Amino acid sequence: MKKRKIGMALSLVLAAGTLLGACGKSDTSKEPAKGGEKKFSVAMVTDVGGVDDKSFNQSAWEGLQKFGKDNGLTKGKGGYDYLQSKSDADYSTNLNTLARQDFDLVYGIGFLMQAAVEEIAKQQKDSHFAIIDAEVKQPNVASVLFKEQEAAFLAGVAAALQTKSNHIGFIGGMEIPVIERFESGFLAGVKAAKPEVKVDVQYSGAFDKAELGQNIASKMYSSGADVIFHAAGGTGNGLFKEATDRKAKDPSKEIWAIGVDRDQADMGPDVVLTSALKRVDVAVQDLSKKAMDGNFPGGESILYGLAEDGVGVAPINSKASNKDAIEASIKEWIEKIKSGAVKVPGTRDELKNFSAK
């Protein structure tokens, strides 16, 4: 499949607009707006993490809400909306429901929805779909991918420069390519900044089990880790609870957590060092604008990395003892990555041969 990179920093000045006619759909049950015009409509289906997971799904919904409000849409049928999946059995049903409700663009949020998006896209050939974090090779599907490894690399640099114990942790959700990119990039960043640091890696096997995240974090902190990065969706919420609880018991103790996808500083102002940003909100707004303007990239894959401002890192916590050194180092690495001088590994195999020199 031909892949296309967005060649410039994303501009999010989303002008109000409409899409004329019925967009070629056979279902004409939706009443047109005054003047015979039909407003563009867009919706999304969450994975099991839910729309308020404080992470991936929430970021997507925030982007969709902003797009809707910027373009004069209202929440609900004919505007912008979402359906929440309680289990993977809901994916196909929810996608099909939104397509039948005549939404112009329907997002499947997350790698876990790949099979469902492909299934429904084949059935609803007159509808437009988008899949986040996976590729579906159908002419009516746009695939949105990220260079998560680049954001995770910067998080790894921050963790390595902040740790006092030279012991760090990584908590992953499910062992899928997306999370492998986070893991590989993070380990590469730690290695580049401070090779002697030990990193514990453990997977929870779920994206919606905060209790598992807290249990893993507890064991890691107890074994000596003082910084833990999670790429586990709602499971990662348990990391923040564990870090916050420990900090409350002993405020002098060095306890740090690193968030993912969105700036998760609100999950623990005293313990969140930074977050590896994956701008799902930016991608959702950008692609929705293209579709609204009649430029839906069906059958293509769009890749967002540091160069496209699609990933990044949140501000370093002002309470971090090494804040200035971390910020200076991150700035240098960003330039190296953007220039192509450093290629961040996205798989464990690539990590084996990684050298930042």
Side-chain angles (χ1 to χ4, degrees):
M1 176 181 295
K2 181 179 179 181
K3 294 189 177 181
R4 185 180 69 183
K5 289 189 178 181
I6 307 303
M8 60 181 69
L10 299 175
S11 172
L12 297 181
V13 182
L14 302 178
T18 59
L19 194 63
L20 299 178
C23 301
K25 293 189 178 183
S26 57
D27 181 0
T28 57
S29 60
K30 183 181 291 187
E31 289 297 323
K34 291 182 179 180
E37 293 184 349
K38 169 185 171 296
K39 274 200 169 185
F40 182 82
S41 59
V42 58
M44 59 174 260
V45 176
T46 75
D47 68 11
V48 293
V51 77
D52 57 353
D53 63 353
K54 310 297 183 185
S55 186
F56 188 78
N57 289 283
Q58 183 169 326
S59 179
W61 177 233
E62 288 171 353
L64 205 63
Q65 287 178 295
K66 187 174 189 308
F67 172 81
K69 292 173 183 177
D70 286 350
N71 289 281
L73 306 180
T74 57
K75 183 179 181 301
K77 186 177 178 181
Y80 65 95
D81 209 350
Y82 75 90
L83 288 179
Q84 187 155 302
S85 303
K86 295 181 180 179
S87 73
D88 55 6
D90 295 330
Y91 296 160
S92 294
T93 300
N94 286 341
L95 289 165
N96 196 39
T97 296
L98 293 175
R100 288 182 176 276
Q101 288 179 356
D102 204 27
F103 280 95
D104 294 299
L105 177 60
V106 178
Y107 287 90
I109 307 301
F111 178 90
L112 297 177
M113 299 188 65
Q114 183 179 27
V117 169
E118 182 152 14
E119 174 193 357
I120 302 304
K122 289 179 179 178
Q123 295 175 11
Q124 302 284 355
K125 294 183 178 180
D126 291 330
S127 296
H128 286 166
F129 298 89
I131 177 75
I132 305 291
D133 274 354
E135 288 185 294
V136 172
K137 300 182 179 181
Q138 295 297 323
N140 58 334
V141 180
S143 301
V144 178
L145 303 171
F146 295 85
K147 292 183 179 180
E148 293 91 354
Q149 65 268 31
E150 294 182 348
F153 182 95
L154 302 179
V157 170
L161 295 180
Q162 182 59 37
T163 181
K164 298 296 190 297
S165 65
N166 282 348
H167 189 168
I168 291 171
F170 172 83
I171 300 175
M174 299 178 71
E175 292 198 56
I176 57 178
V178 175
I179 308 304
E180 184 178 353
R181 291 196 289 272
F182 274 116
E183 177 194 338
S184 300
F186 182 68
L187 294 178
V190 172
K191 179 180 179 181
K194 202 173 180 183
E196 65 271 26
V197 172
K198 173 187 176 182
V199 184
D200 288 337
V201 174
Q202 189 167 340
Y203 280 77
S204 64
F207 290 111
D208 59 346
K209 304 294 182 184
E211 65 278 9
L212 290 179
Q214 183 169 4
N215 183 51
I216 295 171
S218 177
K219 292 178 180 178
M220 287 184 173
Y221 285 131
S222 294
S223 67
D226 56 358
V227 185
I228 300 175
F229 171 47
H230 91 89
T235 298
N237 294 342
L239 162 63
F240 299 120
K241 186 177 188 310
E242 183 65 23
T244 300
D245 288 351
R246 285 176 176 255
K247 189 71 173 179
K249 290 179 181 178
D250 185 358
S252 66
K253 194 171 183 62
E254 284 280 347
I255 292 290
W256 294 104
I258 297 178
V260 75
D261 294 335
R262 58 187 287 273
D263 186 349
Q264 295 190 305
D266 58 344
M267 297 298 289
D270 293 329
V271 298
V272 178
L273 178 63
T274 184
S275 299
L277 301 179
K278 178 174 174 178
R279 300 304 305 272
V280 182
D281 57 335
V282 170
V284 165
Q285 292 174 75
D286 182 58
L287 181 56
S288 297
K289 177 66 164 58
K290 284 180 170 62
M292 186 179 70
D293 290 343
N295 299 314
F296 177 70
E300 298 184 29
S301 294
I302 306 173
L303 184 62
Y304 295 86
L306 270 177
E308 297 79 30
D309 291 340
V311 301
V313 69
I316 303 301
N317 194 311
S318 60
K319 298 176 183 179
S321 57
N322 290 339
K323 178 178 183 294
D324 292 342
I326 293 171
E327 290 178 337
S329 183
I330 284 177
K331 184 177 180 180
E332 291 179 3
W333 284 110
I334 287 176
E335 292 306 312
K336 291 178 182 179
I337 294 169
K338 283 186 174 182
S339 70
V342 171
K343 185 179 184 303
V344 181
T347 66
R348 293 170 186 143
D349 286 340
E350 291 176 354
L351 178 63
K352 293 177 183 177
N353 301 315
F354 172 73
S355 174
K357 296 180 180 179

